[in-house]
Amino acid sequence: MPIKLFKFVLSTWLVLDILSGVSLNMLGYNLTLFIRATIILLILIYGINIRAYSKLFYLSFLFLTLISSLHLVTFQNFTSLYFTIKIIFPVALIHILLKLISQKLIFFRDIIKFYIFCTTIFTLSIVSGQFFGGYKTYDYGNGLGFGSTGWFYAGNEVSITGLVLCGLGAVIYLKTKKKTDLILLIASGMSTILVLTKTSVVGVLYILTRVIKFSFTSISLIASLLYFAVIINMDYV
């Protein structure tokens, strides 16, 4: 897998998540399952080719695969195999990224481009899903519920994704001090708070209070984000 293709796949992963959520919402099944499985396999093989993985990674992968295989044979259930992939894949990505950064194949400007694209996709999904029939974090049926996961299917995973983007945005803003980066930081923080899980709200507050000087400005920003998230969800409570 060429480095440019790897960057492209990594950047568009959230788009696949949205397509997955939309297809589940409208059709009842996941249209992207085969595509995602193929991409995961190719990325894992790519990590082997560039010798990105540690011995501990291989041992962990072997152990989890063995346990999930035994579970599959015993209970004819793919759940454990699914969770094994969910655990291994992010760890594999971290190994690959660290290897590529050490080889100077990925630079800070690449991370900024990745962050801008993903934050834009994430924000558009959360906000549009809030108003146009996306998933609710807490759905009680008959149109009742609150919180928005946009067109992403799982609430807790969306919270973590938002916090990663918010944290990355904070690092980028503190390094560049650009107004556009501040706007993106606010957008990622606001969108993450809209998910309205304890993780998302507390996580964003923690990030903001850690990276912004605790002044009247930061207090106003935090209060505004909370006010916006609560008011925009009142119709669904």
Side-chain angles (χ1 to χ4, degrees):
M1 178 184 287
I3 182 65
K4 289 184 178 180
L5 181 58
F6 174 76
K7 291 178 182 178
F8 174 78
V9 167
L10 202 59
S11 298
T12 56
W13 192 258
L14 284 182
V15 177
L16 284 176
D17 279 342
I18 291 174
L19 291 176
S20 174
V22 170
S23 62
L24 282 169
N25 189 310
M26 296 183 175
L27 303 175
Y29 56 88
N30 189 348
L31 287 176
T32 67
L33 191 60
F34 177 74
I35 298 173
R36 289 158 67 91
T38 303
I39 289 173
I40 289 173
L41 180 60
L42 290 174
I43 288 178
L44 288 173
I45 293 173
Y46 177 65
I48 295 173
N49 289 338
I50 64 172
R51 298 180 179 179
Y53 306 136
S54 63
K55 291 180 180 178
L56 180 60
F57 174 85
Y58 285 114
L59 288 173
S60 301
F61 182 77
L62 182 62
F63 175 75
L64 289 171
T65 302
L66 178 62
I67 295 298
S68 60
S69 298
L70 289 173
H71 186 271
L72 174 61
V73 171
T74 305
F75 301 103
Q76 284 89 46
N77 191 315
F78 284 91
T79 303
S80 58
L81 187 60
Y82 171 72
F83 280 108
T84 295
I85 294 171
K86 285 185 67 174
I87 293 170
I88 287 295
F89 184 57
V91 178
L93 281 180
I94 292 172
H95 277 77
I96 293 171
L97 287 172
L98 289 174
K99 183 72 172 182
L100 294 176
I101 290 171
S102 68
Q103 294 179 340
K104 296 184 178 180
L105 294 173
I106 287 183
F107 301 93
F108 187 67
R109 62 176 179 271
D110 297 314
I111 296 174
I112 292 178
K113 289 177 183 178
F114 168 79
Y115 164 73
I116 291 173
F117 181 79
C118 289
T119 299
T120 303
I121 294 298
F122 182 82
T123 302
L124 288 175
S125 174
I126 299 295
V127 175
S128 64
Q130 174 69 45
F131 294 106
F132 300 107
Y135 293 102
K136 294 180 179 65
T137 306
Y138 304 99
D139 194 342
Y140 303 122
N142 299 319
L144 298 175
F146 63 95
S148 171
T149 59
W151 298 104
F152 302 114
Y153 187 69
N156 286 330
E157 293 177 8
V158 175
S159 298
I160 298 302
T161 300
L163 289 177
V164 169
L165 290 173
C166 192
L168 183 57
V171 172
I172 291 173
Y173 170 66
L174 290 174
K175 187 174 180 65
T176 64
K177 299 293 184 180
K178 293 181 179 179
K179 291 182 179 179
T180 52
D181 293 328
L182 177 60
I183 292 171
L184 286 170
L185 171 59
I186 293 172
S188 62
M190 183 175 65
S191 301
T192 305
I193 285 180
L194 274 176
V195 180
L196 283 186
T197 62
K198 293 187 290 291
T199 302
S200 66
V201 175
V202 174
V204 169
L205 291 178
Y206 176 78
I207 291 171
L208 290 177
T209 54
R210 293 291 292 178
V211 301
I212 302 174
K213 289 183 179 179
F214 202 73
S215 60
F216 178 78
T217 303
S218 62
I219 294 173
S220 300
L221 175 59
I222 293 168
S224 298
L225 291 174
L226 284 173
Y227 178 78
F228 177 79
V230 171
I231 291 300
I232 205 169
N233 280 284
M234 283 185 67
D235 292 337
Y236 301 95
V237 177

